[in-house]
Structure formats: C-alpha cells, structure tokens
Amino acid sequence: MKKTLSRRDFLHAAGALGGSTAVYRAAMGIGLMPVAARAARPVLTANGASKKVLILGAGISGLTAAYELQRKGYEVQVLEASFRAGGRNLTLRGGDRIDETGYPQVCQFDRDPDLFFNAGPARIPGHHQQLLEYCKELDVPLAPFINDNRNAWVQDDAMFGGKPIRAREYLNDTRGFVAELMAKSMKPDAMSAPMTSDDWERVREYLRHFGELDPQFRYIGTSRAGLASHDYTVPDVLKAPLSPSELLKSRFMLIMSFGETDDQAAMMMEPVGGMDRIVAGFLRKVGHLVQLESQVQKIQVLERGVEVTYRHQGAYQKVRADYVLNCIPMHLLAGIEHNFPKSYSAGFTAVPRGKLFKIGLQMKERFWEREGIFGGISWTMQDIQQIWYPAHGIHRAKGVVLAAYTFDPNAGEKFARLSPPERIKLAVEQGSKIHPDYGQYVENGVTIAWHQMNHMLGCAAQWEEALFKQWFKTLQAPVGGHYLIGDQVSYHPGWQEGAIASAHHAIADIDQRVGAGKSQMVRS
Amino acid sequence: MRRQLLSVLAMLVMALMVRVARADNAFDYCLLCHGSNANGNYAIRAPKLSGMEPWYLARQLENFAAGVRGSTSADASGHEMRPVGLRLRDSGELEAAVKFIGTLKSARPAATIDGDAARGRQHYAACAACHGAKGEGNASLQSPALAARSDWYLVTQLANYKNGLRGTDERDTYGAQMRAVSNALPDEQAIRDVVAYINTLR
C-alpha cells in the first residue's frame, strides 16, 4: 500500500487536527493567501445611554460585548441558558457539575488549586492580543503553557511494534535521514540556473545543520535525539539513530510540526489556576447583568428592535431590546422559533458542528516526571490522540493529565457513545501503550463530549472554504437589530480570540448605527 | 432551641423552593435539542415531539431506557437518546417529561423531503390500515399519527426499520410490525415518495 503525502493531504491533515483555521493558517504559511492585518479593539464613540442591548449567551463573545457596551452606557442584559457562565471556557474542579445530556457527571478531583482540568480552551498564543489585553485588564494572571515537549512520547502501532519513542527521536532521526539523503542526492548541475556554486555549498551547509550531519554529510546520530546516558562522569554516548523506514511508517509525520504552527508555537500561556479565571474576571465586571438558566425559545426581529422569549424557572418571559447579540450555537438556533429570512437562517444548518472530545484524569502520582516529562504533549495515533502533562504543580504529589483530546469527529463520536466509565476505561487502555502502568495511577476522571454537552451540543463550527464563501458574510451581517456572534462567526473558530473578534465586529457596527442615530438598518 | 428549629424549618423551606425551581426547569433540556416547543431541529437531527401521543412518547422513552431502541451505534441519534431515556426512567421522571411535552404548542413543520406524492399514495395504502387514512393515528392499535411530524425523521425511521437499526429487538413487537411493513417499500425513493404523500395529509 503506497501512500505519498501531497500538499493537499498535509492541508487536510492539518485541518483534521486544528479545524479549518489550521488549513487557512497552513495555507497562509505556504504562501497561498495574503496575511491579514491584526484587528484592534474598537473604540466606541456613541453614547449608548438610551439603548438596550440583549446578549444571548454568557460565553467569551457575549461577556466581551457586555463588558464593552455597559462601559458606554448601554443598558445590557445577558441571558444564559446554562446554570453557569463561560460557554465552552470550562475549568473543572472537585465538586463541579458536568452537564452532559444523558450523562451528567460530578467532578471527583481532590479540592486542590493544582488539580483542575481545562475542558474547553486551554492555551493562549502570544499573538492573541485581544484576549491577552482582557487578561491584563481583568487581572487574570498568566503562566507559560508548555505545548511542545521533545521529551514526551510518540506512539504509533504502525512503527516499532507500537513501542513509544521520545518525540526528539522521531523528529531528529527523521530530519537527519532526510538531510543526509538530500545532501547526497542533490547534484550541482541539477540546480536551476540562478544557483551559483557558492549557493550550492550554502545549501549543503544548511542541510548539515538541519540534520546535524557529520563532515562527510552522514547522519550518525545527534544529541538532539537524546543521549544514551545522562551519566555526566563519563563521555557522552549518542543513541544510534532509529530505523528511518520504521519512523516513516508513522502518520505522526502529519502532526509532527504541530508545535510550530501559528497558534501552537511557543510561547503559549494559560491563566494561573484555570482558563475560567478569564470568565471570573469578566463576571467581576458584568456578572450582575447575567441571568442564568434562561433558555431562549423565540426570537422576533421587529420593525424597531428585537423581541426575545425565554424560559426561566419554568415560565416564559419576554424581553425587548434595540439590539440583540446572539452567540447561541447556530445548530441550536436552528431549532429556535424565529422570523429571520430564510436566506439567513438556512446558514444555521449549513455549517457542521464540531465533535471534540476530552478526558481529564486525576493521577495519584506524577509518574511522568520520573520519565523526565514536566509538561507538554505525548502523541499517539490511537483514538485518544494526546496526553497532556501539567506544567503547574511540578513535584507535587498528584496531577491531572489530559488523557484524550481528539479532533477527529469519528473518534469523538466513538467516545461519546460510551458511558463515562467506559470512556475512561478505553482511554486508560490506550494510554497504557505510552505509560505501561498508567491505569494504576488513575484515581478518578472527567469526560467531556462537547457535542453532547448541554446548551452546546457541539464544539467549534466546522467551517470550510466553500462554506465560508457561501455563508460567512450573510451570517456576520445583522438582520435588523439582531447580530450573530461567537467564535462560530469568526475565521478563528475554536479560539477565544475568534469569539472576541466577532463581538468587536458587532459592537463596532452597533456603535456606528447608534452614532448615526439609526436604531434600524433594513437588510437589503 | 426554638430558634434552631426555626432555622431548620427555614432551611427546609429553602431546600424545597430550590427543588421546585429545579423541577420547573427540569425538562428544558428536551427543548435544547428538540427546539422551541419541541417542534424539532433538523440541524442536530432532533425530531419534533410536540403533538405526539403521550402513550407513544412514553413507550419510546421506555424503549430507549431498556435498550430496545438506540442500542446500536449505527443509529447515532437513537444512541444519543438512550442515556436520556435511562435517566428519565431511573429518576422516575419519565411520565412528567411526557406530560411536559403535552403542554407545548405544536406547529406543523415545513416540508423538507422531495418525493413523488402520487406514487407515495399507492404505498401509503399499507400504512393507512394502522395509521389512518389521514395519518391521524390509531390509539387502539398503538399506532401513532404520522401527519405533521418531522418528515426527514419519518424517512430516517423507515430506513432504520428497513436496515434493521430499529424493530429488530425481540421485545419490540410494534417495531417488528413496522420492520415487516417497511420491507414492502422497495428502496429509498419509495420511502421518500410515501413521506412526500404523508406531507400532504391534513
């Protein structure tokens, strides 16, 4: 079975892992698309004192909009369907309720500041400037987040009989092999015209350093792949390079550059104590405007303004506002009674919902630290795909590892079909291929099937290029006073920065309308 | 002592109030998937429930709980309902859930299926015996109404019967009947035709 990887395949693989955004970013990386300028937080100039804005959903986009608008004098009300605010920004600690339809769970972690699990977003890259600005403004302390650890494991049943190897071995032994192959097979006369012989020598030199080749351009191993021993009273001994034919059998090559991508490369950050510190920060400012357990049942765009009907404590309530900012997931909005034009609402069903799945396990010992791992990610080609090790609480007794994080909707569905204990059992079976005694350390765990989580029933919207083209502008534009927001209406779904961008886009538009003295803009 | 008693009493009342508040909200999660007034949400393949006969709803929830329905992963949506049925049965809330659905305002869903209603009419003759000439259902035969349901859902279920994803469990006697009848529909097109005809029933 011969399989070569084309650029198209790579883009597909990157998409499978990172969502369509990864495809977009990857395409930008290889020069297919222009790089967009970075958006700044809009400066709202209009006085909102006489305007009411109703926000549907207290996730990051809704909270951002509430925070900005209330500062400009708008009367702001936020309706949240769930018993908690935050949306997919969810950090689980001992005693927390996991509101999965069909399988409600209670987190059994010990009550300890280091024992938490970020079930939704878990990392922030340094260029997500809007989110970082809010962290600063809302006094949310940040710590480095370790995404890429060369000492973590790579496991694939397709190579070395399923035995795990260190990431540094995979990455550097394949690089050494490829560099040697290129250095030896490239011929100066095969280079195209503008290449001078000096250029040719420089390319060879680059290859030598790329793969750490010896003076004869042979790859005989490199300390980058790790030493055979760390006894520093004796001379260093290089490990023998692993068989390239075995290494290249693994589909790990599709994700080996994960930690180098735009959104995943060092330096990454996380809020100290859990991602939901950002939600808590927003709630300190606008928590009094948020009404929980209020599920929207009907949205009517009126001649002037919007009327929303919701259920709260078993009764239907009506509320009118000049503007509505709505971050209800589109696939749920599709089931809510409304009077939107069909040309708009048909988009709600057009974009498939994400089915990301995560497991967090409380381990009674930080056994990974004995393996020289103090953070970062081990990769496996099994359903669980990843194991993350906490970089906070190093050397403490216990830790919470991420024991599964799958982007593949089939794997997500497979896990979701199981009961929570069965999911954990499967994750432990698969994790044991990386850490042989894995199961014996497990004390308890939480499982998050995002497409079955109450009030979500999905993760990042699965946009594709054709869908963007067909629907994005329509869904981003207001219908009367109604705006769709959330990471779902951004080119960065699955990231809080995308959610913020959508909120900024909508409030800037409202600001303009209020400033121009028009509360309505008829949709053409 | 008296003060203690009072505070205990106050706590009891508060606990009761919380419980009442929860109970009021308890079935809102039906609407999360099945939409406003449980009129269905095609985006997540959740069919319309409002207007369904209470005895039919109860039986299906019991079927989900017992694994008569939704136990095969090939029936993805049914599989999602399985734990919901279990939870409702085990918490003793199944009847209350059915009752809640009965309070909702049923609206006729928009047609989503293309098919040849004229051809479907011929196939429907076999359906009419149990489900009525107007698709109004027949409680004495335990046959639910078919008119004004989510049409895409009828298509899915007929295909599920035909493909053995529903009606194969030996406890499912009504399902077995449906499985036999569905086999009389030769193919996917016939299923769509008959549902297109059902869409015309008033």
Side-chain angles (χ1 to χ4, degrees):
Chain A
M1 213 167 56
K2 206 175 128 191
K3 188 160 165 67
T4 55
L5 254 187
S6 66
R7 187 176 68 178
R8 196 187 165 80
D9 287 337
F10 169 73
L11 290 182
H12 181 75
L17 275 168
S20 51
T21 304
V23 175
Y24 180 73
R25 294 286 164 189
M28 288 205 341
I30 54 179
L32 297 179
M33 298 177 194
V35 179
R38 182 152 66 202
R41 193 186 311 189
V43 179
L44 305 183
T45 53
N47 180 351
S50 58
K51 298 291 170 199
K52 171 155 184 166
V53 179
L54 180 65
I55 296 171
L56 310 181
I60 292 299
S61 65
L63 292 173
T64 300
Y67 174 64
E68 294 296 342
L69 292 171
Q70 55 91 33
R71 289 202 294 188
K72 291 304 292 182
Y74 289 86
E75 184 193 345
V76 175
Q77 185 183 359
V78 185
L79 297 177
E80 167 55 52
S82 172
F83 69 95
R84 51 169 282 276
R88 301 206 306 281
N89 178 321
L90 170 62
T91 301
L92 295 168
R93 302 178 184 81
D96 284 349
R97 172 175 157 202
I98 300 156
D99 191 9
E100 181 182 338
T101 48
Y103 292 121
Q105 306 158 58
V106 174
C107 179
Q108 303 295 333
F109 296 164
D110 296 355
R111 313 263 170 133
D112 181 295
D114 275 317
L115 297 179
F116 63 83
F117 181 65
N118 288 324
R123 47 195 165 194
I124 308 172
H127 58 271
H128 283 191
Q129 189 148 355
Q130 299 304 318
L131 179 60
L132 289 169
E133 272 179 26
Y134 283 118
C135 288
K136 191 171 177 182
E137 206 165 310
L138 301 170
D139 295 320
V140 177
L142 299 172
F145 177 88
I146 310 304
N147 222 9
D148 190 12
N149 181 350
R150 301 294 159 100
N151 227 27
W153 300 103
V154 172
Q155 189 278 336
D156 186 350
D157 289 348
M159 68 173 177
F160 304 110
K163 191 175 156 291
I165 58 173
R166 301 280 183 173
R168 61 168 80 248
E169 294 180 276
Y170 185 94
L171 295 171
N172 293 297
D173 285 344
T174 52
R175 258 166 86 157
F177 168 73
V178 169
E180 178 176 344
L181 193 68
M182 286 185 70
K184 288 186 169 163
S185 57
M186 275 190 339
K187 298 279 176 285
D189 50 0
M191 306 302 285
S192 47
M195 287 280 283
T196 65
S197 61
D198 282 353
D199 290 335
W200 160 240
E201 278 316 310
R202 287 187 200 108
V203 170
R204 299 238 302 167
E205 207 46 35
Y206 181 91
L207 283 171
R208 190 203 308 281
H209 292 283
F210 176 76
E212 211 177 353
L213 307 180
D214 75 358
Q216 286 76 49
F217 293 94
R218 290 175 309 183
Y219 179 66
I220 54 166
T222 162
S223 62
R224 296 174 189 171
L227 296 173
S229 147
H230 292 279
D231 177 356
Y232 299 129
T233 62
V234 296
D236 287 351
V237 181
L238 291 181
K239 269 193 282 202
L242 296 171
S243 150
S245 77
E246 275 298 308
L247 291 167
L248 295 176
K249 282 179 191 165
S250 176
R251 286 172 61 79
F252 177 64
M253 68 174 77
L254 303 183
I255 46 173
M256 66 181 175
S257 304
F258 182 81
E260 292 174 34
T261 51
D262 184 34
D263 279 325
Q264 306 289 359
M267 165 168 158
M268 306 289 288
M269 282 159 278
E270 64 176 329
V272 176
M275 190 57 85
D276 70 350
R277 298 301 82 207
I278 296 173
V279 177
F282 275 119
L283 291 180
R284 281 195 294 273
K285 303 286 187 187
V286 296
H288 59 289
L289 306 174
V290 179
Q291 184 178 318
L292 300 175
E293 297 185 316
S294 301
Q295 198 172 309
V296 172
Q297 300 297 325
K298 189 173 176 182
I299 300 169
Q300 294 289 300
V301 180
L302 309 172
E303 193 89 2
R304 295 181 73 80
V306 182
E307 183 181 82
V308 170
T309 309
Y310 63 98
R311 273 176 70 82
H312 181 64
Q313 298 187 343
Y316 288 92
Q317 313 269 1
K318 265 185 196 169
V319 54
R320 274 191 188 201
D322 296 288
Y323 299 100
V324 162
L325 299 180
N326 180 354
C327 66
I328 296 172
M330 288 190 281
H331 53 270
L332 295 183
L333 193 53
I336 290 174
E337 202 180 329
H338 59 70
N339 67 344
F340 298 130
K342 189 119 204 274
S343 58
Y344 178 71
S345 63
F348 304 162
T349 46
V351 188
R353 55 185 170 145
K355 297 189 170 172
L356 278 66
F357 176 83
K358 277 187 177 182
I359 291 181
L361 297 177
Q362 178 177 308
M363 297 297 194
K364 65 183 174 193
E365 281 178 49
R366 298 172 76 100
F367 60 86
W368 53 92
E369 294 181 352
R370 291 198 294 271
E371 298 169 17
I373 300 171
F374 293 88
I377 303 176
S378 285
W379 292 93
T380 169
M381 299 301 110
Q382 305 173 89
D383 302 318
I384 58 169
Q385 206 155 50
Q386 316 176 42
I387 296 179
W388 294 15
Y389 313 93
H392 54 85
I394 287 171
H395 285 167
R396 294 199 60 200
K398 300 182 179 183
V400 171
V401 299
L402 174 148
Y405 182 9
T406 173
F407 311 113
D408 172 7
N410 295 320
E413 279 178 17
K414 177 176 172 179
F415 273 112
R417 281 196 292 266
L418 303 173
S419 68
E422 292 169 324
R423 296 169 185 169
I424 290 175
K425 189 167 164 270
L426 179 61
V428 168
E429 273 167 28
Q430 297 192 351
S432 299
K433 287 199 176 172
I434 298 176
H435 303 287
D437 300 325
Y438 198 55
Q440 80 178 51
Y441 299 106
V442 177
E443 289 190 319
N444 55 64
V446 292
T447 71
I448 307 291
W450 276 109
H451 67 283
Q452 290 182 188
M453 288 292 281
N454 219 339
H455 310 296
M456 292 293 162
L457 298 188
C459 212
Q462 301 293 294
W463 286 97
E464 287 166 16
E465 208 179 323
L467 288 171
F468 272 128
K469 226 179 233 169
Q470 191 184 353
W471 287 109
F472 190 81
K473 275 196 175 142
T474 306
L475 293 170
Q476 191 189 38
V479 171
H482 177 273
Y483 292 77
L484 207 54
I485 58 169
D487 65 308
Q488 59 184 352
V489 200
S490 81
Y491 276 88
H492 224 48
W495 290 92
Q496 296 174 97
E497 190 76 355
I500 292 171
S502 78
H504 285 173
H505 185 271
I507 62 176
D509 199 58
I510 289 175
D511 178 63
Q512 221 168 23
R513 287 166 71 175
V514 171
K518 298 183 288 186
S519 72
Q520 284 300 311
M521 193 168 71
V522 179
R523 190 185 176 80
S524 56
Chain B
M1 183 69 195
R2 209 174 136 182
R3 187 178 286 175
Q4 261 184 338
L5 239 164
L6 269 175
S7 70
V8 168
L9 210 71
M11 272 164 64
L12 265 172
V13 169
M14 272 168 64
L16 217 67
M17 280 169 60
V18 168
R19 192 166 292 172
V20 168
R22 279 217 185 120
D24 283 344
N25 240 5
F27 302 114
D28 281 9
Y29 69 83
C30 305
L31 307 182
L32 177 83
C33 299
H34 293 277
S36 303
N37 284 302
N39 277 313
N41 181 358
Y42 175 70
I44 54 169
R45 307 296 187 271
K48 170 178 163 63
L49 302 179
S50 51
M52 269 186 185
E53 299 82 350
W55 47 265
Y56 181 73
L57 279 171
R59 190 170 80 221
Q60 295 313 312
L61 283 170
E62 276 155 13
N63 280 350
F64 282 121
V68 171
R69 257 188 98 174
S71 53
T72 158
S73 61
D75 172 17
S77 315
H79 208 83
E80 270 184 86
M81 266 311 286
R82 172 108 217 269
V84 177
L86 266 169
R87 194 174 143 204
L88 287 173
R89 184 192 67 186
D90 296 348
S91 63
E93 292 179 310
L94 198 147
E95 265 177 65
V98 170
K99 216 166 152 188
F100 170 73
I101 300 296
T103 66
L104 302 170
K105 270 190 278 179
S106 169
R108 192 180 181 92
T112 65
I113 297 297
D114 293 322
D116 183 337
R119 242 192 336 230
R121 185 184 183 158
Q122 291 163 19
H123 291 303
Y124 189 77
C127 314
C130 297
H131 293 279
K134 292 184 172 170
E136 70 275 25
N138 185 338
S140 62
L141 296 174
Q142 295 276 299
S143 306
L146 301 177
R149 313 285 357 141
S150 300
D151 57 2
W152 56 266
Y153 177 73
L154 295 180
V155 169
T156 309
Q157 294 311 307
L158 280 169
N160 281 356
Y161 282 124
K162 205 169 156 53
N163 299 327
L165 301 183
R166 188 176 171 186
T168 42
D169 190 291
E170 57 183 18
R171 294 165 290 178
D172 191 4
T173 43
Y174 299 110
Q177 265 174 277
M178 274 308 298
R179 184 155 156 68
V181 175
S182 69
N183 281 328
L185 295 167
D187 52 22
E188 172 83 4
Q189 189 54 51
I191 290 177
R192 300 179 85 80
D193 292 345
V194 77
V195 173
Y197 177 68
I198 291 169
N199 271 344
T200 68
L201 298 174
R202 290 288 186 276

